[in-house]
Amino acid sequence: MLRALAVDDERPSLEELLYLLNADPRIGSVEGAGDATEALRRITRALESGPHGPEAIDVVFLDIQMPGLDGLEMARLLTGFAMPPLVVFVTAHEDFAVRAFDLKAVDYVLKPVRKERLAEAVRRVAELRGAAPRIPVHEPDPDHLPVELGGVTRFVAVDDITHVDAQGDYARLHTEHGSHLVRIPLSTLEDRWRSRGFVRIHRRHLVALGHIGELRLDAGTVSVLVGGEELQVSRRHARELRDLLMRRV
């Protein structure tokens, strides 16, 4: 059973998070803290107690924007401990995801928190702590990719994706109507979508061949126009890209 600490300076958000965590059968106990300072005092007691002691904490569910010490700063402090608890960020802001995973966060849950999404975060923590067996999951829909936006899950059609940018452990999907951040490495999407006409043109870019509007050559550099954006093609990928485009023609 997991022992958890939830940290949020907004009382309604903290109470909702505590309620949802208490309802999860994998959570054995959960406490709340209203700011990072209070949370650090509690974590210090946990570390002094040891991993199997009565004060131990397995995971911290941590808000980011808080007065004083914010969640990212607190997580950075925790990385300096020998055996810190795992961290799951729970925030209303998408913009900090890359920085959060640079700090080795287990998951990044957007507010308003949905029960199903929080359960997935708990599942990841439980697997890392060895507190629960793996639960079989359905194979993903090959034609759509789920993305979260403001607490709502939407399904983006793969055929609508013009290109993808790498952002650490995340990838940003671009469509004609906007972009979405997903927690999938670019290399995974490259393997998954190679048969669908996606090709790597740079260590940071994966593009759909069918959405390339122009191939540009300028003073030895190669770029493509895709989705209204000009993307640089690295030298190692330039020849392969030209050959693929010529074969399509």
Side-chain angles (χ1 to χ4, degrees):
M1 301 289 283
L2 296 170
R3 298 153 296 185
L5 175 66
V7 188
D8 198 315
D9 65 302
E10 296 181 354
R11 192 65 193 179
S13 296
L14 179 58
E15 290 178 351
E16 175 70 10
L17 183 56
L18 290 171
Y19 173 79
L20 292 173
L21 289 171
N22 271 311
D24 193 304
R26 293 163 295 192
I27 301 292
S29 64
V30 57
E31 300 176 52
D35 57 48
T37 302
E38 180 185 354
L40 283 173
R41 285 198 294 264
R42 178 63 186 86
I43 292 170
T44 299
R45 295 203 310 270
L47 295 174
E48 291 173 350
S49 175
H52 303 294
E55 300 278 355
I57 294 174
D58 296 304
V59 56
V60 180
F61 291 85
L62 182 59
D63 189 20
I64 288 183
Q65 291 197 325
M66 297 184 291
L69 192 69
D70 69 25
L72 290 171
E73 292 168 334
M74 177 179 163
R76 191 172 293 109
L77 288 175
L78 291 180
T79 61
F81 291 96
M83 297 181 65
L86 299 175
V87 173
V88 172
F89 285 102
V90 182
T91 177
H93 304 278
E94 179 186 277
D95 301 342
F96 301 107
V98 174
R99 293 170 60 189
F101 282 100
D102 284 342
L103 294 171
K104 310 302 181 185
V106 175
D107 209 342
Y108 192 92
V109 179
L110 292 175
K111 297 178 181 178
V113 179
R114 293 182 296 108
K115 178 181 179 181
E116 297 80 6
R117 181 63 185 86
L118 186 63
E120 170 61 17
V122 173
R123 182 190 66 79
R124 292 176 179 175
V125 172
E127 287 184 357
L128 289 171
R129 284 291 189 238
R134 288 185 175 270
I135 301 173
V137 297
H138 297 293
E139 288 297 318
D141 179 355
D143 297 321
H144 295 82
L145 198 66
V147 300
E148 285 194 36
L149 185 62
V152 176
T153 300
R154 298 181 179 176
F155 294 88
V156 176
V158 175
D159 290 342
D160 291 340
I161 298 171
T162 58
H163 59 291
V164 188
D165 299 332
Q167 293 191 359
D169 290 334
Y170 270 67
R172 183 166 290 279
L173 314 176
H174 295 268
T175 71
E176 180 182 346
H177 305 292
S179 67
H180 307 277
L181 200 63
V182 295
R183 192 188 178 190
I184 305 176
L186 193 66
S187 57
T188 299
L189 294 179
E190 180 185 9
D191 293 338
R192 185 182 300 178
W193 292 345
R194 184 176 290 112
S195 62
R196 302 183 70 111
F198 282 80
V199 61
R200 192 75 164 257
I201 64 167
H202 190 274
R203 64 183 179 85
R204 293 185 54 84
H205 304 305
L206 183 70
V207 302
L209 291 174
H211 286 283
I212 294 178
E214 295 180 8
L215 177 68
R216 297 177 176 179
L217 304 175
D218 182 21
T221 63
V222 181
S223 63
V224 292
L225 188 67
V226 55
E229 186 175 351
E230 185 173 0
L231 303 175
Q232 183 179 355
V233 181
S234 66
R235 290 184 179 181
R236 62 175 294 198
H237 294 104
R239 181 181 295 276
E240 177 188 8
L241 177 62
R242 287 197 298 264
D243 291 344
L244 287 171
L245 289 173
M246 290 301 297
R247 285 204 292 270
R248 286 178 66 88
V249 173

